[in-house]
C-alpha cells in the first residue's frame, strides 16, 4: 500500500449553494434561491455539527451574499441585512473547526449589476462560453480593462477585510469570458490562468493563510501539464469538476497531480445536486459505490482535495452520503463496504453484524438498481428536477432510464422495500431506515407518473 493511499485527504470539503441543505422545499424563486434568515443559521448549526462528526474540515458556500450580481455599492442595505445571518453561520462553522470558503466568480458570475453600473469594466464584443461565442456580454468583465481588475480587488477586499472570508472557491469560467478584440488573442487557458493567478495573488497579499481553490467548470484541466501548473501556482487546490484529467487516463492524472504545486481535487464524478423545490422525502438515490470508488481512485492518483455537494439532512440520502463521504475521505484506501459499514454502525446501531452486513448490501443494491438501467453516469451535474424553474419540476433523473429499464427499476425498489421493516427491527436507532421507507413510495410514484407520461404524452399528471 502506497503512502498516498493510506493518507486522509487534506482538503475534505463540502460544497453547495446556501440553501442546498434547507430542510424544506423552496418554491417561487429562480435557482439559485439565496434567501437567508435566522432559520438558515439554525440549519447550518445542525449541519456543521454533523459535518464535523463526519470528518469534514471545510465548506465552499455559494450565495452567502450574492449569486449573479454583487450590488453597487458593495456594502448595500441588503448586504448589511444578510450580514448578521452570515456572520452567525461563519461563527457556527468556526466552532466546529470547519473553514467556510466563499464561492465567488472571477471576472464572471456576480458582475451583472457592476457591469450595468460601470460599463467601463466590460466590452460588449461577445463572450466565449464552453467553446461557443455568445453575443450577449452582460456578465463577464474584460481582462484588459483596469476598472475590471479594480472591481475584482474591491470584492476580495470587501470579503476578506469586512466580511471575514477565510478563503475562496474561485470560479472564473462557468459563465465564460470576455472575447473582445484583445482578450480573444489569449487562449481560454491563458485567460483563465491570468485572471485566477492575479486574483489569488491579490487575496494572498491580504492574508497568506487564506485557503484558495479553483472550481474548474469550463477550465481545461487536461491540457499540457505546464498550463495547469501555471494556473495553480497561487492556489491550495484545483477541483477538476468533471474529472477531465482522469478521462485522459489514470497515468496522466497521476503525473499531473505529482507536478501540481497544490492539491488536485474532484467532485466525485456526477455531481448529485439536491432539488430546490421538491419536498424532502421525494428522492432517495444512495451512491456510495459511485462516489467512494471515485475517491479511492483519486487518492491512488495522488489527489488530496474533494468537494462533496451537500443535500438536506432530513432526506436520508443527504445524511447517509455526508457521513459516508466523510468516512471515505479519511480512509481513502478502505473498501466501500467497510466505510459504509462504519457509517451504518454509527447512524443505525445495528444489533448484530449480520444486520449490519444486510443493510450495507441493501444500500448498494438500491444504488445498483438505478445504475444498471442508467449505465455509467458521466461527470457533470446530475439533477433530479430541472434547475431553472420556479416551481417543483418533473423527475428528469428518471429520463436516464430508457424503455423497460424504468419498469425494472420500479420492480427492484418494490422488492427491496420489503426488507426495510426487518432491517429496522434489527437496529437500535432505526430512524434513517424509517425515513427511507417514507421516501421510496414517493420515488415509485414519480416512476409511475413518468411511465404514464411516456404512454400518454407530456401532460404533467402530478
Ligand atoms: Zn476583453
Amino acid at each position: 500500500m502506497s503512502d498516498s493511499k493510506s493518507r486522509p485527504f487534506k482538503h475534505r470539503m463540502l460544497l453547495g449553494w446556501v440553501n442546498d441543505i434547507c430542510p424544506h422545499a423552496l418554491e417561487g424563486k429562480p435557482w439559485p434561491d439565496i434567501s437567508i434568515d435566522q432559520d438558515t443559521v439554525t440549519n447550518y448549526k445542525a449541519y456543521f455539527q454533523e459535518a464535523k462528526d463526519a470528518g469534514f474540515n471545510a465548506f465552499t458556500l455559494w450565495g452567502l451574499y450574492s449569486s449573479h450580481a454583487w450590488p453597487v455599492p458593495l456594502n448595500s442595505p441588503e448586504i448589511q441585512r444578510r450580514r448578521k445571518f452570515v456572520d452567525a453561520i461563519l461563527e457556527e462553522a468556526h466552532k466546529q473547526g470547519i473553514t467556510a470558503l466563499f464561492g465567488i466568480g472571477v471576472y464572471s458570475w456576480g458582475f451583472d449589476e457592476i457591469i450595468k453600473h460601470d460599463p467601463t469594466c466590460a466590452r460588449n464584443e461577445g463572450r466565449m462560453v464552453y467553446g461557443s461565442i455568445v453575443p450577449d456580454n452582460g456578465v463577464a468583465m474584460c481582462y484588459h480593462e483596469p476598472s475590471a481588475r479594480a472591481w475584482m480587488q474591491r470584492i476580495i477586499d470587501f470579503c476578506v477585510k469586512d466580511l471575514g472570508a477565510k478563503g475562496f472557491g474561485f470560479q472564473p469560467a462557468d459563465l465564460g469570458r470576455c472575447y473582445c478584440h484583445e482578450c480573444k488573442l489569449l487562449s481560454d487557458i491563458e485567460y483563465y490562468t491570468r485572471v485566477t493567478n492575479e486574483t489569488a495573488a491579490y487575496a494572498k497579499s491580504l492574508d497568506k493563510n487564506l485557503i484558495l481553490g479553483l472550481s474548474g467548470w469550463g477550465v481545461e484541466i487536461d491540457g499540457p501539464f505546464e498550463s495547469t501548473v501555471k494556473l495553480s501556482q497561487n492556489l491550495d487546490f484545483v477541483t477538476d469538476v468533471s474529472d477531465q484529467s482522469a478521462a485522459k487516463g489514470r497515468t496522466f492524472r497521476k503525473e499531473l497531480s505529482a507536478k501540481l504545486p497544490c492539491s488536485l481535487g474532484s467532485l466525485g464524478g456526477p455531481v448529485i445536486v439536491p432539488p430546490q423545490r421538491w419536498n424532502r422525502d421525494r428522492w432517495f438515490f444512495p451512491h456510495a459505490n459511485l462516489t467512494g470508488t471515485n475517491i479511492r481512485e483519486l487518492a491512488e492518483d495522488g489527489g488530496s482535495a474533494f468537494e462533496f455537494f451537500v443535500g438536506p439532512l432530513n432526506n436520508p440520502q443527504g445524511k447517509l452520503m455526508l457521513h459516508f463521504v466523510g468516512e471515505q475521505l479519511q480512509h481513502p484506501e478502505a473498501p466501500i463496504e467497510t466505510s459504509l459499514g462504519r457509517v451504518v454502525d454509527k447512524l443505525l446501531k445495528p444489533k448484530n453484524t449480520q444486520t449490519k452486513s444486510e443493510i450495507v448490501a441493501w444500500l448498494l443494491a438500491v444504488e445498483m438498481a438505478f445504475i444498471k438501467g442508467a449505465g455509467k453516469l458521466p461527470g457533470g451535474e446530475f439533477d433530479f428536477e430541472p434547475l431553472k424553474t420556479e416551481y417543483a419540476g418533473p423527475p428528469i433523473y428518471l429520463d436516464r432510464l430508457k424503455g423497460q429499464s424504468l419498469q425494472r427499476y420500479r420492480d427492484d425498489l418494490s422488492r427491496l422495500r420489503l426488507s426495510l421493516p426487518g432491517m429496522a427491527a434489527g437496529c437500535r436507532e432505526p430512524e434513517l431506515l424509517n425515513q427511507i421507507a417514507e421516501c421510496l413510495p414517493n420515488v415509485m410514484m414519480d416512476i409511475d407518473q413518468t411511465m404514464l407520461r411516456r404512454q400518454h404524452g407530456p401532460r404533467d399528471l402530478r
Side-chain angles (χ1 to χ4, degrees), residues 123 141-145 178-184 191:
R123 293 178 184 171
M141 297 198 298
C142 172
Y143 172 70
H144 287 92
E145 289 290 358
C178 181
Y179 208 60
C180 73
H181 62 284
E182 279 188 278
C183 289
K184 75 201 287 188
Y191 184 99

Side-chain angles (χ1 to χ4, degrees), residues 70-74 111-121 151 154:
W70 282 97
V72 180
L74 291 176
F111 296 92
D112 299 17
E113 273 305 309
I114 289 174
I115 291 171
K116 277 186 209 150
H117 177 84
D118 177 8
T120 70
C121 68
W151 275 110
R154 219 170 281 155

Side-chain angles (χ1 to χ4, degrees), residues 131-420:
S132 300
I133 297 171
V134 179
D136 148 58
N137 186 15
V139 300
M141 297 198 298
C142 172
Y143 172 70
H144 287 92
E145 289 290 358
S147 60
R149 187 168 295 103
W151 275 110
M152 192 68 243
Q153 293 185 352
R154 219 170 281 155
I155 286 173
I156 299 291
D157 277 338
F158 185 52
C159 291
V160 175
K161 294 177 186 168
D162 292 343
L163 304 178
K166 301 291 181 212
F168 294 99
F170 289 135
Q171 196 167 109
D174 188 41
L175 294 182
R177 54 103 162 184
C178 181
Y179 208 60
C180 73
H181 62 284
E182 279 188 278
C183 289
K184 75 201 287 188
L185 301 177
L186 301 173
S187 66
D188 282 355
I189 188 68
E190 179 61 25
Y191 184 99
Y192 295 133
T193 296
R194 288 191 189 195
V195 294
T196 303
N197 268 339
E198 289 177 17
T199 306
Y202 183 74
K204 291 262 177 176
S205 77
L206 298 180
D207 178 355
K208 65 178 173 30
N209 295 318
L210 291 174
I211 296 175
L212 304 181
L214 175 91
S215 168
W217 293 109
V219 181
E220 182 188 5
I221 310 281
D222 59 350
F225 292 132
E226 54 270 27
S227 299
T228 318
V229 168
K230 205 171 153 195
L231 170 75
S232 318
Q233 59 189 283
N234 295 318
L235 300 175
D236 297 282
F237 66 90
V238 166
T239 303
D240 180 359
V241 295
S242 52
D243 287 337
Q244 297 171 54
S245 58
K248 204 156 175 182
R250 299 278 303 277
T251 308
F252 176 87
R253 186 163 73 171
K254 267 183 199 156
E255 208 172 325
L256 174 65
S257 76
K259 287 181 191 302
L260 281 187
C262 67
S263 297
L264 178 65
S266 167
L267 298 180
V271 191
I272 316 289
V273 178
Q276 182 171 289
R277 308 158 205 93
W278 280 10
N279 290 332
R280 285 14 214 156
D281 58 358
R282 189 169 164 180
W283 74 96
F284 181 65
F285 173 47
H287 47 92
N289 191 50
L290 186 71
T291 307
T293 303
N294 188 292
I295 291 170
R296 200 175 58 217
E297 290 181 353
L298 178 62
E300 286 167 2
D301 293 351
S304 55
F306 194 88
E307 294 185 277
F308 176 61
F309 211 99
V310 295
L313 288 173
N314 59 341
N315 175 286
Q317 175 190 323
K319 181 157 175 163
L320 180 75
M321 290 307 299
L322 173 76
H323 283 274
F324 170 78
V325 172
E327 179 67 35
Q328 195 73 36
L329 291 175
Q330 292 173 89
H331 306 282
E333 83 291 357
I336 309 300
E337 290 80 0
T338 305
S339 302
L340 203 47
R342 286 177 182 153
V343 170
V344 165
D345 267 338
K346 183 159 79 172
L347 299 182
L348 287 157
K349 308 228 177 332
K351 293 172 188 167
N352 56 53
T353 52
Q354 191 191 338
T355 303
K356 170 178 152 179
S357 303
E358 192 188 346
I359 296 170
V360 168
W362 187 90
L363 289 167
L364 294 171
V366 173
E367 177 178 358
M368 183 48 71
F370 187 88
I371 297 292
K372 77 181 180 194
K376 185 173 167 20
L377 299 180
E381 262 178 38
F382 177 106
D383 293 313
F384 288 93
E385 63 168 344
L387 217 49
K388 292 179 181 174
T389 64
E390 295 187 17
Y391 294 93
I396 55 169
Y397 76 110
L398 295 173
D399 295 343
R400 293 170 186 265
L401 302 170
K402 308 288 183 206
Q404 287 303 306
S405 63
L406 185 58
Q407 178 66 54
R408 282 196 290 272
Y409 181 45
R410 194 196 191 288
D411 293 344
D412 283 346
L413 291 183
S414 186
R415 176 178 49 79
L416 287 161
R417 225 180 123 189
L418 301 176
S419 310
L420 280 167

Side-chain angles (χ1 to χ4, degrees), residues 7-15 51-52 54-60 97-99 237 304-308 325-332:
R7 203 180 296 148
F9 273 54
K10 181 177 180 186
H11 301 286
R12 302 184 300 279
M13 297 178 286
L14 296 156
L15 167 70
K52 183 197 181 183
F56 288 89
N57 59 14
F59 194 147
T60 307
I98 290 176
T99 306
F237 66 90
S304 55
F306 194 88
E307 294 185 277
F308 176 61
V325 172
E327 179 67 35
Q328 195 73 36
L329 291 175
Q330 292 173 89
H331 306 282

Side-chain angles (χ1 to χ4, degrees), residues 32-98:
D33 184 338
I34 62 165
S35 314
I36 194 167
D37 57 22
Q38 192 54 42
D39 286 347
T40 323
V41 178
T42 306
N43 298 338
Y44 271 97
K45 183 173 182 178
Y47 200 92
F48 289 137
Q49 285 169 358
E50 200 90 17
K52 183 197 181 183
D53 182 44
F56 288 89
N57 59 14
F59 194 147
T60 307
L61 278 151
W62 280 82
L64 284 175
Y65 283 106
S66 70
S67 59
H68 287 276
W70 282 97
V72 180
L74 291 176
N75 201 8
S76 69
E78 171 59 8
I79 295 275
Q80 288 168 28
R81 183 195 73 81
R82 298 179 75 89
R83 180 85 191 258
K84 68 174 178 181
F85 303 122
V86 176
D87 282 352
I89 289 171
L90 300 183
E91 175 66 25
E92 292 299 337
H94 183 68
K95 272 190 214 161
Q96 301 301 334
I98 290 176

